[in-house]
Amino acid sequence: MDIFLITAPGLETLLAAEAREKGFKVTQTSPGGVALRGDWPAVWRANLQLRGATRVLARLTSFRALYLSQLEKNVREVDWAAVLPRGADVTVDAVCHKSKIYHAGAAQERVASALAAHGHNADPAGFGLRVRIERDIVTLSLDTSGESLHRRGHKEAVNKAPLRETMAALFLRDAGFKGKEPLFDPMCGSGTFPMEGAEIARRFDPGRGRDFAFQSLPNFDADAFEAMRSPERAAAFSCYGSDRDQGAIAMSRANAERAGLADVTAFEVKPVGEITPPCDTPGLVIANPPYGGRIGDSTPLLGLYAAFGARLKSAFPGWRAAVVTADAKLAQATGLPFRPAGPVVNHGGIKIRLWQTDPL
């Protein structure tokens, strides 16, 4: 069947590369996602192992419908007993584009009515069924993830405006990080970059500490799923973080401890103007500094970026630098010799990019 991986627009190519590396059959990339071909075990493994996917959708069926009555009739004919548990709650989300059925709310009601005929109730906390009507072709997809996959199951504390783990993982991929060198985030907040880096180094499955919606489906095989879990490996290098905020460092340490990463991470309180290399071997410095509330409102942050860049140039020879920011002026304020910026990525309505250097 077709499987669709959702990701932030701008990161599709990186997610496709990760999926291929993990042995999945990628068939297409499109804005906001990557299409695969696979079976139900591939759905389970994608949820468990892919670091950059936000959700995994299983394509159940497609058909043509010109009228709401056709839509409801076709949905009723699906063998829902083979897909959903008896009496399961389902929430329906519909979108319509260039189709004779143009009212998403009406389409949603008809699909919910068809499901009710099979004994399924409408409930926002239930399984997610996505209905896409594109040029009169209806595609029904089941959200097999449940909670967004950026919720790894380890973080109880986060700082303001955190970068999602799924984004952080793909930015690390873009920066060439494979877990075989040190990583340092001097503005680490709640520890997202060091923790993702340490998990990559240890080859931990990103979904190892959480549950998924597919585990409640009739065709789920718990033993087969357990056999998919990756064996961990020893890490040759650690991942480090620092922050001027003592509360952020306490959060980072607690989060790393819950994730089983305390032995391969280290965090300390330190302002960015005083950072020093955390170890003797050069690696990757990566940061997601503040970038202001809106584009053009970056003047108060220019000094922070300038101090960051000056410190890297004076104290971090041989290290590569990577910075996530929404404003080219802020990146340029560092004075670092950045290569052309990466693709524009939508982060909660803010357009961000990854800027990176060769070894300094």
Side-chain angles (χ1 to χ4, degrees), residues 200-225:
I200 292 168
R202 292 290 297 275
R203 202 178 285 155
F204 281 174
D205 292 324
R208 71 191 185 283
R210 54 161 289 165
D211 294 325
F212 305 95
F214 66 76
Q215 290 173 284
S216 298
L217 297 179
N219 63 3
F220 176 62
D221 184 331
D223 291 336
F225 180 59

Side-chain angles (χ1 to χ4, degrees), residues 48-339:
L48 175 67
Q49 295 184 352
L50 290 178
R51 308 202 72 85
T54 302
R55 293 186 182 278
V56 180
L57 305 183
R59 303 293 202 201
L60 302 178
T61 188
S62 294
F63 52 84
R64 190 167 185 260
L66 303 178
Y67 309 103
L68 289 169
S69 57
Q70 281 183 302
L71 171 64
E72 184 170 354
K73 176 178 179 294
N74 279 283
V75 174
R76 280 178 181 251
E77 291 177 353
V78 173
D79 183 8
W80 291 107
V83 178
L84 295 171
R86 176 178 293 184
D89 294 332
V90 181
T91 178
V92 180
D93 180 38
V95 294
C96 306
H97 185 62
K98 295 184 178 179
S99 299
K100 290 194 174 181
I101 299 175
Y102 60 87
H103 194 291
Q108 187 170 308
E109 289 178 5
R110 290 299 188 105
V111 172
S113 176
L115 288 167
H118 288 264
H120 299 297
N121 305 309
D123 190 317
F127 289 95
L129 182 68
R130 302 203 175 194
V131 182
R132 181 172 184 83
I133 308 177
E134 176 88 25
R135 299 183 186 274
D136 301 323
I137 301 299
V138 180
T139 303
L140 303 182
S141 301
L142 186 67
D143 177 2
T144 67
S145 301
E147 274 198 305
S148 170
L149 294 177
H150 83 275
R151 298 185 181 276
R152 307 296 202 209
H154 311 295
K155 275 191 177 180
E156 292 183 3
V158 296
N159 59 331
K160 293 181 180 179
L163 190 70
R164 289 190 167 190
E165 285 77 359
T166 46
M167 279 190 179
L170 292 179
F171 282 138
L172 286 174
R173 170 173 287 272
D174 199 13
F177 183 78
K178 297 181 180 180
K180 298 180 179 179
E181 62 184 331
L183 180 147
F184 175 45
D185 181 353
M187 290 176 258
C188 68
S190 55
T192 300
F193 273 129
M195 287 177 62
E196 284 297 308
E199 291 202 358
I200 292 168
R202 292 290 297 275
R203 202 178 285 155
F204 281 174
D205 292 324
R208 71 191 185 283
R210 54 161 289 165
D211 294 325
F212 305 95
F214 66 76
Q215 290 173 284
S216 298
L217 297 179
N219 63 3
F220 176 62
D221 184 331
D223 291 336
F225 180 59
E226 284 301 312
M228 294 175 180
R229 296 185 183 273
S230 303
E232 63 184 76
R233 67 180 176 189
F237 297 98
S238 291
C239 295
Y240 305 88
S242 65
D243 201 286
R244 67 178 183 178
D245 183 350
Q246 190 168 357
I249 294 303
M251 278 191 284
S252 294
R253 289 172 178 161
N255 289 333
E257 181 73 33
R258 275 188 295 271
L261 299 170
D263 61 327
V264 287
T265 55
F267 300 93
E268 65 175 339
V269 179
K270 187 172 286 189
V272 72
E274 299 176 10
I275 57 173
T276 55
C279 61
D280 294 334
T281 303
L284 172 67
V285 178
I286 188 165
N288 177 42
Y291 23 82
R294 60 184 185 275
I295 301 300
D297 187 28
S298 58
T299 303
L301 296 171
L302 292 174
L304 171 67
Y305 279 73
F308 174 52
R311 192 63 183 171
L312 289 187
K313 286 186 289 185
S314 65
F316 286 78
W319 288 72
R320 306 191 320 282
V323 178
V324 178
T325 189
D327 193 332
K329 287 195 301 183
L330 290 174
Q332 292 159 3
T334 65
L336 294 171
F338 288 119
R339 307 200 303 257

